[in-house]
Structures are given as C-alpha cells and as structure tokens.
Amino acid sequence: MIIDCHGHFITVPGYFRDYRNAQIADFKAGKTSDFSPAPQISDDELCEGLEKNQIRLQKERGIDMTLFSPIAGLMGHHHGNEALSRHWSRTCNDLIHRVSTLYPDRFAPVCQLPQSPGADPRGCIEELERCVVELGFVGCNLNPDPTDGYWTDPPVTDKWWYPLYEKLVELDVPAMIHVSGSCNPNFHGTGAHYLNGDTSVFMQLLLSDLFKDFPTLRMVIPHGGGAVPYHWGRYRGLANDLGRPPLAEALMNNVFFDTCVYHQPGIDLLTEVIPVRNVLFGSEMVGAVRSIDPETGHAFDDTRRYVEALELSPEDRHAIFEGNVRRVYPRLDARLKAMGKAA
C-alpha cells in the first residue's frame, strides 16, 4: 500500500466556509455561546467534491489511503473563545468522520483540537477522546501556536501541555504538529508560518526532556521538517554546545517527518539526512501548492514521484510508503488489519 499521512479536506462546499465566516462575525457582534449549527452537506455533495479532487488524484498518483483531517487554514484557533473553538472543531471533525465512513478504503480520520489562545490544553481532551474512542480517529493535529502567528502560549515542551500528552499516550495516538493560518502580516501562512512552526517546535524539543517524561509520545513534524533537515548540522551542533544529548538519542525515537517537500533535491536531502525509519510518505494534496512545476511538467505536490526516484532498497521504500506510518499510527494499523489489509 501507499499511505499518505498528510491530507486535509479542502474541497468542502463554499457555503461551509461562508458559515464559518458568519460564525466569526456573529462572535465579534457579541454571540459567545449557543452557536448556530452548520448547514447540512449532503452525501452527494461530499462525494462529488472528493471524487473530482482528492480521490481522482489518489487514483492518478497511485495513493491507496490518506490520513484526512480538517482544513488546517480554517482551524483558526485565534478566532472567538474556547466555546467557539469547541463548536467549530466538533463540526469539522464530524465532517471528517462522515468522509471516512463514506470512503473507508480511501480515508482514515484525523481530528483537529479545540484549542484557543491561553486556554488550558485539558479543554482538548474531551473532543480528542470522543474522536478516537467513539468515532475511530487515528490521530490528531496539534497547533503549537493557537494565536496563529504571535506565539504567546508556552512552548510545546512546557508542563502546561502535559495533561494533553498524558491522554495522547493513554490513547496511543500521535500528534502531527500543524499550525493554522497566520493572522500576523509578517508571516505568509503556508510559505512562512507553517515552516516556522515546524522548525520552532523541533528546536523546542531539542532543548527539552519531554520524551524522558513521555517515552512513547510520538510527534510528526510535517512539510519535511521545515528548515530542520537542511540545517541538521546546526541542530547537532547546538545540541552539542548546549550540553544536550545527541539528536538520535534524544528525539529520533519520537519525532518523525513527512515528505511534503515539493522538489526532488529536497526529498533527496531529507532522506539522506533523516533516517528512513523516521520518514513518512505525505503529500498534503490538494493543499499548499496546487500548480504544475514548469520545470518538470508534473504537479509540485505529486510527491510519490520524488520518493520513487530515490535509490532505496525495497525494504526502505516499503517503510516510507507504508510501514512507518502504520508503526507511528497504531490505530491506523489496527483499522487496516480489520479491513483485511495486512502490513
């Protein structure tokens, strides 16, 4: 199998986005609770959008399954209050559940968390448990910056986050580190804020003993790890200068990177620097970059092509395309085995 660890439901009908904008406007006008329910999207509408976009591209590119989560840019944790975030997250997660029920062979559900700036992460636990225990979700997206560009909450390694990590460990689900849109004009969302988030979190982890406290906690840093693989020597050197243990010892049993890197030299570098066991196939298709590369004639986000072009052993190729993601997401592995798809 080829399993894409990184996909978002960006093809929701336009009126669903309009509903979100109206919800935010209502909050600004003083409505802080009792939020109106989302408009009902029919199964036919869901299927039409998916069949014309994600499923069509899955078939064209030979991708068997995608770990599917709500639109990252619409998580918008800086909007409203904690109650609004809970309502919006539940609405989005229910939609992902419907998709994974309509297409169980194509999509495995991953949830967003009802985060809000300054809000205790304990407030995320109820929705996380509902999604994983009741609805069969296999993972979650964790926003390290609920302010969406201003970084006022503690680092992800602070004990402030520990109650949430305890629940992740108990449920045995990983967290993909994923910021939302940027409301800071200094940082373009996908071109700067996303990669800043990936890079910043890795450095936070380097400085901490988080994985001594949570030895089975797993985090996926997307978008190829931001700047991390390119500056691997810098991070190894910083760890050495700061008296931290070597990266391989301190982080690489718990931290994983996806292949959402949109050119061949980038994938070459990623797999040369990062051990194969820490690399998960991902494309974020359809997502950050949707155009055709004029230098190759292929879509930038057709990342399978880049992985296929690597000089890998059959074992390593299988690990990147399937084995690693099933190991990092054990609830996905169990889901696939229940469907008769052995590893």
Side-chain angles (χ1 to χ4, degrees):
M1 290 186 71
I2 294 181
I3 304 172
D4 188 339
C5 77
H6 190 167
H8 302 293
F9 190 16
I10 56 89
T11 55
V12 292
Y15 62 79
F16 187 75
R17 297 172 185 263
D18 294 339
Y19 161 74
R20 173 59 167 167
N21 291 331
Q23 186 183 64
I24 293 167
D26 285 347
F27 181 89
K28 290 179 178 178
K31 188 178 182 62
T32 59
S33 61
D34 299 322
F35 305 105
S36 60
Q40 183 63 29
I41 304 172
S42 70
D43 285 352
D44 287 344
E45 286 180 288
L46 290 179
C47 293
E48 181 181 10
L50 291 163
E51 293 280 357
K52 289 181 177 179
N53 294 279
Q54 284 94 342
I55 293 175
R56 173 180 62 83
L57 291 173
Q58 283 179 329
K59 292 176 180 178
E60 289 177 3
R61 299 178 185 180
I63 297 171
D64 298 295
M65 174 169 279
T66 299
L67 273 62
F68 212 48
S69 63
I71 308 170
L74 281 190
M75 291 192 297
H77 291 119
H78 70 281
H79 289 298
N81 59 3
E82 199 172 359
L84 180 61
S85 188
R86 282 196 300 270
H87 184 273
W88 176 240
S89 295
R90 188 180 183 104
T91 298
C92 293
N93 292 334
D94 284 348
L95 203 56
I96 294 296
H97 175 61
R98 285 181 61 196
V99 169
S100 67
T101 301
L102 287 167
Y103 296 99
D105 290 331
R106 285 289 180 186
F107 300 105
V110 172
C111 65
Q112 76 178 49
L113 298 176
Q115 299 176 248
S116 188
D120 191 326
R122 288 182 179 87
C124 297
I125 291 175
E126 181 180 357
E127 179 63 8
L128 175 66
E129 278 198 304
R130 182 184 80 93
C131 287
V132 173
V133 177
E134 298 179 22
L135 303 181
F137 281 57
V138 302
C140 69
N141 290 340
L142 174 64
N143 188 349
D145 173 33
T147 67
D148 293 335
Y150 291 96
W151 294 87
T152 59
D153 281 354
V156 298
T157 52
D158 191 272
K159 291 188 176 180
W160 188 69
W161 298 89
Y162 275 28
L164 178 58
Y165 296 157
E166 290 168 359
K167 183 56 63 172
L168 289 171
V169 168
E170 176 189 326
L171 295 173
D172 200 18
V173 293
M176 175 174 280
I177 300 297
H178 210 305
V179 296
S180 185
S182 171
C183 58
N184 185 331
N186 290 289
F187 305 117
H188 182 273
T190 55
H193 185 49
Y194 278 29
L195 306 182
N196 292 346
D198 305 331
T199 307
S200 297
V201 166
F202 185 84
M203 188 64 201
Q204 291 173 14
L205 296 172
L206 183 154
L207 292 170
S208 80
D209 291 320
L210 178 65
F211 298 124
K212 287 185 179 179
D213 292 337
F214 296 98
T216 61
L217 179 65
R218 300 178 300 284
M219 292 183 173
V220 179
I221 300 183
H223 318 114
V228 173
Y230 187 72
H231 288 286
W232 195 245
R234 176 181 291 258
Y235 292 109
R236 288 180 54 242
L238 284 169
N240 187 66
D241 292 350
L242 295 168
R244 302 298 302 165
L247 300 183
E249 173 187 324
L251 303 183
M252 302 309 283
N253 288 323
N254 306 86
V255 178
F256 305 88
F257 303 79
D258 74 14
T259 63
C260 293
V261 180
Y262 295 150
H263 65 150
Q264 189 66 52
I267 294 291
D268 295 346
L269 174 71
L270 174 68
T271 53
E272 181 178 348
V273 172
I274 303 300
V276 164
R277 70 180 303 276
N278 292 87
V279 178
L280 313 181
F281 175 70
S283 72
E284 203 175 2
M285 168 273 293
V286 182
V289 179
R290 308 183 190 185
S291 58
I292 301 298
D293 184 343
E295 296 181 4
T296 67
H298 299 294
F300 281 102
D301 63 3
D302 187 358
T303 56
R304 179 182 174 180
R305 290 181 176 275
Y306 311 138
V307 177
E308 293 283 10
L310 296 171
E311 293 184 4
L312 296 172
S313 69
E315 294 78 14
D316 285 349
R317 194 176 304 277
H318 174 267
I320 290 176
F321 278 137
E322 177 182 0
N324 291 343
V325 69
R326 293 179 74 144
R327 173 168 51 86
V328 174
Y329 289 79
R331 287 180 179 266
L332 170 67
D333 184 55
R335 180 186 181 93
L336 291 171
K337 288 177 178 175
M339 296 164 60
K341 301 178 186 294

